Amino acid sequence: MEDIIFPVLGIIFGLGVPILIVAGIVYFILKLRKGTSIKFSYRTALRVYFYVVILVSIGLAGIGGASTLVRVALGEAIGTEFSYGGLYREHQERLERESNNDSYYSDRNWGERTLPEMLNLEMKGHLIDGISLAVIGLLLLTVHLLGRSWLETDSERLGMLRRLYLFAGLVVFAILTIVSLAVGIPETLRYAFAVSNDYGSPAEPLSIAIAALPIWVCFLIATLGNIRGNEGDTVIE
């Protein structure tokens, strides 16, 4: 599971933290220009905690869990090579080295397993990881949404902190969706037209885009609703 959860957290913190820092700097500059005193209470710190964990939970459930399950589903619907092309490449490399009497090492310790056995183990592992991350992310999201809803007042739901959170989520998932689509669609077309024979895995970026796109749309709707002062009841709020 480490090869899934750590990249997901890396994406969220790698994109979200710089955005939040910049947004925070802008917020403080605007406060200073207005001559408003800047106060940071325990209540504000708790609200920041809720927003950060909610953002991480969305990424964990969506990008970590849902995209992994989508990748498995694409492999079942289109073909295992579409989702697990790396295994085909690894298996081919092992056969070539063995035919040349060369030693072969893999950090995944496949041993003498055949390609179908490797594919079966990989798919089961992704199913376990995807379901686990989705359940964990949804549980964390539910608990922290309830906690934030209990803590915040109506006026705070339209305040600057909420807008910073929505903006950070909007930018993170917009970038993630666009980059994943830019990589996944060409790779899918190459696979469909058999342009490349390197056994790539178009399903990996494509599954991330499929999972990130609805989250991006929800953040966009919530951000526009916040600006207009009429928020909806979407899950990411």
Side-chain angles (χ1 to χ4, degrees), residues 20-180:
L20 287 173
I21 291 175
V22 172
I25 292 173
V26 173
Y27 170 72
F28 286 124
I29 291 175
L30 291 176
K31 284 287 188 180
L32 291 174
R33 290 183 63 182
K34 291 180 179 179
T36 305
S37 61
I38 299 174
K39 296 180 180 180
F40 193 78
S41 63
Y42 179 74
R43 177 187 179 85
T44 303
L46 190 57
R47 289 181 63 210
V48 171
Y49 159 78
F50 278 126
Y51 282 120
V52 170
V53 177
I54 287 172
L55 190 61
V56 172
S57 301
I58 293 171
L60 198 63
I63 309 305
S67 69
T68 305
L69 296 176
V70 169
R71 183 177 179 180
V72 175
L74 290 175
E76 289 292 315
I78 300 175
T80 53
E81 187 179 342
F82 186 76
S83 290
Y84 306 108
L87 287 182
Y88 283 84
R89 182 173 52 221
E90 188 173 344
H91 180 69
Q92 184 66 29
E93 183 180 350
R94 186 179 72 178
L95 293 178
E96 291 175 355
R97 286 184 174 272
E98 289 177 351
S99 64
N100 296 327
N101 295 321
D102 295 332
S103 59
Y104 175 76
Y105 170 78
S106 173
D107 56 1
R108 297 216 258 180
N109 297 320
W110 293 115
E112 299 299 323
R113 290 186 176 90
T114 62
L115 180 59
E117 290 173 338
M118 293 164 62
L119 290 169
N120 186 50
L121 286 175
E122 188 78 349
M123 184 185 71
K124 287 181 178 179
H126 278 181
L127 280 173
I128 293 172
D129 291 345
I131 293 173
S132 300
L133 292 177
V135 171
I136 293 170
L138 288 175
L139 285 175
L140 289 173
L141 180 61
T142 301
V143 170
H144 286 82
L145 281 174
L146 291 174
R148 190 201 61 187
S149 177
W150 175 81
L151 178 67
E152 280 189 338
T153 62
D154 291 338
S155 61
E156 288 175 335
R157 294 190 179 98
L158 297 175
M160 181 59 70
L161 186 57
R162 171 67 69 89
R163 292 187 176 184
L164 291 177
Y165 153 74
L166 291 176
F167 179 74
L170 177 65
V171 174
V172 168
F173 289 102
I175 294 174
L176 189 59
T177 303
I178 293 170
V179 172
S180 300

